[in-house]
Amino acid sequence: MSNDIYQHNADSFFMQYESVTSEQVHAFWLPELDKRTIGTALDVGAGSGRDAKFLAAKGWRVIAVEPANSLRELAIKSEHLSDIYKSQTYLPIDWIADTLPNLSLIKALNLKYDLILLSAVLMHLNQHEQQQALNNLSYLLNIGGILVMTLRVGEFSDGRIAYPIEVEKLIAHAEMQHLKLLTKSQLVTDQLGRSNVTWQTIVLTKE
């Protein structure tokens, strides 16, 4: 996928992402997070770093993937200015410029993750790429770890392409990659008030 629009409009995307909290966006699945031992998290398509900072503040070691250089630089600056960065218990986020579906640089690190988060990312990939991404994400996930995906339903009005996500087919392919469905939300309204956009969250675990 092209990152040009995120690269050239980084300031506006940064402000948009930071205008809502992780607690608001991820209310459906955060109880699942509270059940789990703190470990290593991978935030793919990390954007402004909102969710990466949220997880790091809870003690997670976070690797954040954001391919758009301008947006990633804003996120790093925001992290360094945050009060949590000054905490002795805070582990700084590791930022990497990598892309789905292959995540070649991430795989080269030879790390496994207890939590992988894709928030508003998968719709940028076509169906074949979505399946490729699931294959690689399963490879990167620890046994017993969770993969959380928030899925956008609705077209863009700014020229970006939104590929359809067939949730049941996605879950069926995930099962072939040893990813079992833990829970799935109903469609919910958009936190930014866009009437033409809804969201669904699925949480998978590695068996």
Side-chain angles (χ1 to χ4, degrees), residues 46-70:
S48 69
R50 178 197 64 208
D51 299 332
K53 287 180 289 186
F54 171 78
L55 291 168
K58 285 183 169 290
W60 288 76
R61 180 193 174 189
V62 182
I63 287 103
V65 175
E66 176 48 56
N69 293 333
S70 297

PDB file of all heavy atoms in Angstrom, residues 46-70:
ATOM      1  N   ALA A  46       1.269   1.990  13.782  1.00  0.00           N
ATOM      2  CA  ALA A  46       1.126   2.642  15.093  1.00  0.00           C
ATOM      3  C   ALA A  46       0.705   4.102  15.014  1.00  0.00           C
ATOM      4  O   ALA A  46       0.314   4.689  16.024  1.00  0.00           O
ATOM      5  CB  ALA A  46       2.434   2.517  15.876  1.00  0.00           C
ATOM      6  N   GLY A  47       0.800   4.710  13.835  1.00  0.00           N
ATOM      7  CA  GLY A  47       0.292   6.080  13.666  1.00  0.00           C
ATOM      8  C   GLY A  47       0.951   7.076  14.587  1.00  0.00           C
ATOM      9  O   GLY A  47       2.172   7.261  14.578  1.00  0.00           O
ATOM     10  N   SER A  48       0.144   7.730  15.407  1.00  0.00           N
ATOM     11  CA  SER A  48       0.636   8.772  16.321  1.00  0.00           C
ATOM     12  C   SER A  48       1.338   8.204  17.543  1.00  0.00           C
ATOM     13  O   SER A  48       1.897   8.956  18.336  1.00  0.00           O
ATOM     14  CB  SER A  48      -0.535   9.639  16.789  1.00  0.00           C
ATOM     15  OG  SER A  48      -1.386   8.891  17.652  1.00  0.00           O
ATOM     16  N   GLY A  49       1.291   6.879  17.698  1.00  0.00           N
ATOM     17  CA  GLY A  49       1.870   6.270  18.887  1.00  0.00           C
ATOM     18  C   GLY A  49       0.944   6.265  20.087  1.00  0.00           C
ATOM     19  O   GLY A  49       1.342   5.871  21.183  1.00  0.00           O
ATOM     20  N   ARG A  50      -0.301   6.647  19.880  1.00  0.00           N
ATOM     21  CA  ARG A  50      -1.261   6.701  20.986  1.00  0.00           C
ATOM     22  C   ARG A  50      -1.342   5.367  21.728  1.00  0.00           C
ATOM     23  O   ARG A  50      -1.207   5.316  22.958  1.00  0.00           O
ATOM     24  CB  ARG A  50      -2.642   7.079  20.438  1.00  0.00           C
ATOM     25  CG  ARG A  50      -3.762   7.133  21.473  1.00  0.00           C
ATOM     26  CD  ARG A  50      -5.120   7.089  20.774  1.00  0.00           C
ATOM     27  NE  ARG A  50      -5.317   5.820  20.070  1.00  0.00           N
ATOM     28  CZ  ARG A  50      -6.090   5.694  18.985  1.00  0.00           C
ATOM     29  NH1 ARG A  50      -6.717   6.732  18.476  1.00  0.00           N
ATOM     30  NH2 ARG A  50      -6.226   4.498  18.411  1.00  0.00           N
ATOM     31  N   ASP A  51      -1.562   4.290  20.994  1.00  0.00           N
ATOM     32  CA  ASP A  51      -1.738   2.990  21.641  1.00  0.00           C
ATOM     33  C   ASP A  51      -0.410   2.423  22.136  1.00  0.00           C
ATOM     34  O   ASP A  51      -0.367   1.760  23.175  1.00  0.00           O
ATOM     35  CB  ASP A  51      -2.402   2.008  20.678  1.00  0.00           C
ATOM     36  CG  ASP A  51      -3.786   2.473  20.245  1.00  0.00           C
ATOM     37  OD1 ASP A  51      -4.439   3.199  21.018  1.00  0.00           O
ATOM     38  OD2 ASP A  51      -4.214   2.112  19.129  1.00  0.00           O
ATOM     39  N   ALA A  52       0.665   2.690  21.403  1.00  0.00           N
ATOM     40  CA  ALA A  52       1.984   2.238  21.847  1.00  0.00           C
ATOM     41  C   ALA A  52       2.342   2.878  23.185  1.00  0.00           C
ATOM     42  O   ALA A  52       2.848   2.205  24.098  1.00  0.00           O
ATOM     43  CB  ALA A  52       3.038   2.578  20.792  1.00  0.00           C
ATOM     44  N   LYS A  53       2.058   4.168  23.326  1.00  0.00           N
ATOM     45  CA  LYS A  53       2.333   4.861  24.591  1.00  0.00           C
ATOM     46  C   LYS A  53       1.444   4.316  25.710  1.00  0.00           C
ATOM     47  O   LYS A  53       1.898   4.160  26.852  1.00  0.00           O
ATOM     48  CB  LYS A  53       2.120   6.369  24.422  1.00  0.00           C
ATOM     49  CG  LYS A  53       3.202   7.054  23.602  1.00  0.00           C
ATOM     50  CD  LYS A  53       2.947   8.548  23.459  1.00  0.00           C
ATOM     51  CE  LYS A  53       1.781   8.850  22.551  1.00  0.00           C
ATOM     52  NZ  LYS A  53       1.608  10.291  22.277  1.00  0.00           N
ATOM     53  N   PHE A  54       0.207   4.036  25.382  1.00  0.00           N
ATOM     54  CA  PHE A  54      -0.724   3.479  26.370  1.00  0.00           C
ATOM     55  C   PHE A  54      -0.200   2.147  26.905  1.00  0.00           C
ATOM     56  O   PHE A  54      -0.185   1.909  28.114  1.00  0.00           O
ATOM     57  CB  PHE A  54      -2.092   3.294  25.710  1.00  0.00           C
ATOM     58  CG  PHE A  54      -3.091   2.547  26.535  1.00  0.00           C
ATOM     59  CD1 PHE A  54      -3.768   3.171  27.575  1.00  0.00           C
ATOM     60  CD2 PHE A  54      -3.367   1.211  26.276  1.00  0.00           C
ATOM     61  CE1 PHE A  54      -4.696   2.473  28.348  1.00  0.00           C
ATOM     62  CE2 PHE A  54      -4.294   0.507  27.027  1.00  0.00           C
ATOM     63  CZ  PHE A  54      -4.953   1.142  28.075  1.00  0.00           C
ATOM     64  N   LEU A  55       0.242   1.273  26.002  1.00  0.00           N
ATOM     65  CA  LEU A  55       0.742  -0.038  26.423  1.00  0.00           C
ATOM     66  C   LEU A  55       2.059   0.092  27.187  1.00  0.00           C
ATOM     67  O   LEU A  55       2.267  -0.583  28.205  1.00  0.00           O
ATOM     68  CB  LEU A  55       0.930  -0.934  25.207  1.00  0.00           C
ATOM     69  CG  LEU A  55      -0.361  -1.374  24.507  1.00  0.00           C
ATOM     70  CD1 LEU A  55      -0.042  -2.019  23.155  1.00  0.00           C
ATOM     71  CD2 LEU A  55      -1.156  -2.342  25.382  1.00  0.00           C
ATOM     72  N   ALA A  56       2.939   0.968  26.708  1.00  0.00           N
ATOM     73  CA  ALA A  56       4.222   1.160  27.388  1.00  0.00           C
ATOM     74  C   ALA A  56       4.023   1.713  28.800  1.00  0.00           C
ATOM     75  O   ALA A  56       4.741   1.340  29.736  1.00  0.00           O
ATOM     76  CB  ALA A  56       5.107   2.090  26.570  1.00  0.00           C
ATOM     77  N   ALA A  57       3.032   2.579  28.974  1.00  0.00           N
ATOM     78  CA  ALA A  57       2.753   3.128  30.302  1.00  0.00           C
ATOM     79  C   ALA A  57       2.270   2.048  31.265  1.00  0.00           C
ATOM     80  O   ALA A  57       2.418   2.179  32.485  1.00  0.00           O
ATOM     81  CB  ALA A  57       1.709   4.240  30.196  1.00  0.00           C
ATOM     82  N   LYS A  58       1.699   0.975  30.728  1.00  0.00           N
ATOM     83  CA  LYS A  58       1.260  -0.148  31.548  1.00  0.00           C
ATOM     84  C   LYS A  58       2.388  -1.148  31.815  1.00  0.00           C
ATOM     85  O   LYS A  58       2.168  -2.158  32.480  1.00  0.00           O
ATOM     86  CB  LYS A  58       0.087  -0.869  30.869  1.00  0.00           C
ATOM     87  CG  LYS A  58      -1.233  -0.108  30.957  1.00  0.00           C
ATOM     88  CD  LYS A  58      -2.358  -0.914  30.325  1.00  0.00           C
ATOM     89  CE  LYS A  58      -3.713  -0.294  30.635  1.00  0.00           C
ATOM     90  NZ  LYS A  58      -4.102  -0.428  32.050  1.00  0.00           N
ATOM     91  N   GLY A  59       3.569  -0.882  31.256  1.00  0.00           N
ATOM     92  CA  GLY A  59       4.708  -1.740  31.519  1.00  0.00           C
ATOM     93  C   GLY A  59       5.101  -2.675  30.399  1.00  0.00           C
ATOM     94  O   GLY A  59       6.080  -3.417  30.531  1.00  0.00           O
ATOM     95  N   TRP A  60       4.352  -2.650  29.300  1.00  0.00           N
ATOM     96  CA  TRP A  60       4.678  -3.523  28.178  1.00  0.00           C
ATOM     97  C   TRP A  60       5.924  -3.016  27.464  1.00  0.00           C
ATOM     98  O   TRP A  60       6.151  -1.808  27.347  1.00  0.00           O
ATOM     99  CB  TRP A  60       3.516  -3.584  27.191  1.00  0.00           C
ATOM    100  CG  TRP A  60       2.337  -4.354  27.700  1.00  0.00           C
ATOM    101  CD1 TRP A  60       1.413  -3.929  28.620  1.00  0.00           C
ATOM    102  CD2 TRP A  60       1.957  -5.679  27.341  1.00  0.00           C
ATOM    103  NE1 TRP A  60       0.485  -4.913  28.856  1.00  0.00           N
ATOM    104  CE2 TRP A  60       0.792  -6.006  28.080  1.00  0.00           C
ATOM    105  CE3 TRP A  60       2.477  -6.622  26.466  1.00  0.00           C
ATOM    106  CZ2 TRP A  60       0.148  -7.229  27.974  1.00  0.00           C
ATOM    107  CZ3 TRP A  60       1.838  -7.848  26.340  1.00  0.00           C
ATOM    108  CH2 TRP A  60       0.686  -8.145  27.089  1.00  0.00           C
ATOM    109  N   ARG A  61       6.736  -3.946  26.979  1.00  0.00           N
ATOM    110  CA  ARG A  61       7.808  -3.600  26.051  1.00  0.00           C
ATOM    111  C   ARG A  61       7.171  -3.529  24.672  1.00  0.00           C
ATOM    112  O   ARG A  61       6.637  -4.528  24.186  1.00  0.00           O
ATOM    113  CB  ARG A  61       8.915  -4.645  26.059  1.00  0.00           C
ATOM    114  CG  ARG A  61      10.042  -4.275  25.083  1.00  0.00           C
ATOM    115  CD  ARG A  61      10.999  -5.409  24.827  1.00  0.00           C
ATOM    116  NE  ARG A  61      11.959  -5.021  23.791  1.00  0.00           N
ATOM    117  CZ  ARG A  61      12.824  -5.841  23.224  1.00  0.00           C
ATOM    118  NH1 ARG A  61      12.860  -7.116  23.583  1.00  0.00           N
ATOM    119  NH2 ARG A  61      13.655  -5.413  22.301  1.00  0.00           N
ATOM    120  N   VAL A  62       7.247  -2.366  24.033  1.00  0.00           N
ATOM    121  CA  VAL A  62       6.500  -2.144  22.794  1.00  0.00           C
ATOM    122  C   VAL A  62       7.438  -1.900  21.618  1.00  0.00           C
ATOM    123  O   VAL A  62       8.342  -1.061  21.693  1.00  0.00           O
ATOM    124  CB  VAL A  62       5.536  -0.948  22.936  1.00  0.00           C
ATOM    125  CG1 VAL A  62       4.738  -0.753  21.659  1.00  0.00           C
ATOM    126  CG2 VAL A  62       4.598  -1.144  24.130  1.00  0.00           C
ATOM    127  N   ILE A  63       7.202  -2.638  20.546  1.00  0.00           N
ATOM    128  CA  ILE A  63       7.807  -2.346  19.245  1.00  0.00           C
ATOM    129  C   ILE A  63       6.683  -1.797  18.380  1.00  0.00           C
ATOM    130  O   ILE A  63       5.633  -2.422  18.230  1.00  0.00           O
ATOM    131  CB  ILE A  63       8.449  -3.578  18.603  1.00  0.00           C
ATOM    132  CG1 ILE A  63       9.737  -3.936  19.342  1.00  0.00           C
ATOM    133  CG2 ILE A  63       8.806  -3.312  17.150  1.00  0.00           C
ATOM    134  CD1 ILE A  63       9.677  -5.064  20.244  1.00  0.00           C
ATOM    135  N   ALA A  64       6.891  -0.589  17.845  1.00  0.00           N
ATOM    136  CA  ALA A  64       5.856   0.094  17.068  1.00  0.00           C
ATOM    137  C   ALA A  64       6.297   0.188  15.609  1.00  0.00           C
ATOM    138  O   ALA A  64       7.404   0.647  15.314  1.00  0.00           O
ATOM    139  CB  ALA A  64       5.596   1.488  17.637  1.00  0.00           C
ATOM    140  N   VAL A  65       5.421  -0.238  14.713  1.00  0.00           N
ATOM    141  CA  VAL A  65       5.694  -0.209  13.283  1.00  0.00           C
ATOM    142  C   VAL A  65       4.889   0.924  12.650  1.00  0.00           C
ATOM    143  O   VAL A  65       3.660   0.934  12.751  1.00  0.00           O
ATOM    144  CB  VAL A  65       5.305  -1.555  12.623  1.00  0.00           C
ATOM    145  CG1 VAL A  65       5.475  -1.477  11.105  1.00  0.00           C
ATOM    146  CG2 VAL A  65       6.124  -2.694  13.203  1.00  0.00           C
ATOM    147  N   GLU A  66       5.575   1.854  12.020  1.00  0.00           N
ATOM    148  CA  GLU A  66       4.893   2.919  11.282  1.00  0.00           C
ATOM    149  C   GLU A  66       5.730   3.280  10.057  1.00  0.00           C
ATOM    150  O   GLU A  66       6.837   3.811  10.195  1.00  0.00           O
ATOM    151  CB  GLU A  66       4.691   4.159  12.159  1.00  0.00           C
ATOM    152  CG  GLU A  66       4.073   5.348  11.443  1.00  0.00           C
ATOM    153  CD  GLU A  66       2.831   4.963  10.625  1.00  0.00           C
ATOM    154  OE1 GLU A  66       1.883   4.393  11.217  1.00  0.00           O
ATOM    155  OE2 GLU A  66       2.812   5.220   9.413  1.00  0.00           O
ATOM    156  N   PRO A  67       5.232   2.973   8.852  1.00  0.00           N
ATOM    157  CA  PRO A  67       6.027   3.194   7.644  1.00  0.00           C
ATOM    158  C   PRO A  67       6.108   4.645   7.172  1.00  0.00           C
ATOM    159  O   PRO A  67       7.034   4.989   6.436  1.00  0.00           O
ATOM    160  CB  PRO A  67       5.313   2.329   6.601  1.00  0.00           C
ATOM    161  CG  PRO A  67       3.910   2.221   7.083  1.00  0.00           C
ATOM    162  CD  PRO A  67       3.983   2.232   8.576  1.00  0.00           C
ATOM    163  N   ALA A  68       5.166   5.485   7.556  1.00  0.00           N
ATOM    164  CA  ALA A  68       5.180   6.879   7.101  1.00  0.00           C
ATOM    165  C   ALA A  68       6.166   7.678   7.953  1.00  0.00           C
ATOM    166  O   ALA A  68       5.943   7.904   9.146  1.00  0.00           O
ATOM    167  CB  ALA A  68       3.783   7.478   7.196  1.00  0.00           C
ATOM    168  N   ASN A  69       7.256   8.114   7.341  1.00  0.00           N
ATOM    169  CA  ASN A  69       8.348   8.732   8.098  1.00  0.00           C
ATOM    170  C   ASN A  69       7.899   9.950   8.897  1.00  0.00           C
ATOM    171  O   ASN A  69       8.260  10.106  10.069  1.00  0.00           O
ATOM    172  CB  ASN A  69       9.487   9.129   7.147  1.00  0.00           C
ATOM    173  CG  ASN A  69      10.167   7.927   6.523  1.00  0.00           C
ATOM    174  OD1 ASN A  69      10.176   6.841   7.101  1.00  0.00           O
ATOM    175  ND2 ASN A  69      10.741   8.111   5.345  1.00  0.00           N
ATOM    176  N   SER A  70       7.139  10.851   8.265  1.00  0.00           N
ATOM    177  CA  SER A  70       6.734  12.086   8.944  1.00  0.00           C
ATOM    178  C   SER A  70       5.855  11.789  10.146  1.00  0.00           C
ATOM    179  O   SER A  70       5.995  12.407  11.215  1.00  0.00           O
ATOM    180  CB  SER A  70       5.997  13.005   7.974  1.00  0.00           C
ATOM    181  OG  SER A  70       6.845  13.405   6.929  1.00  0.00           O
TER     182      SER A  70
END
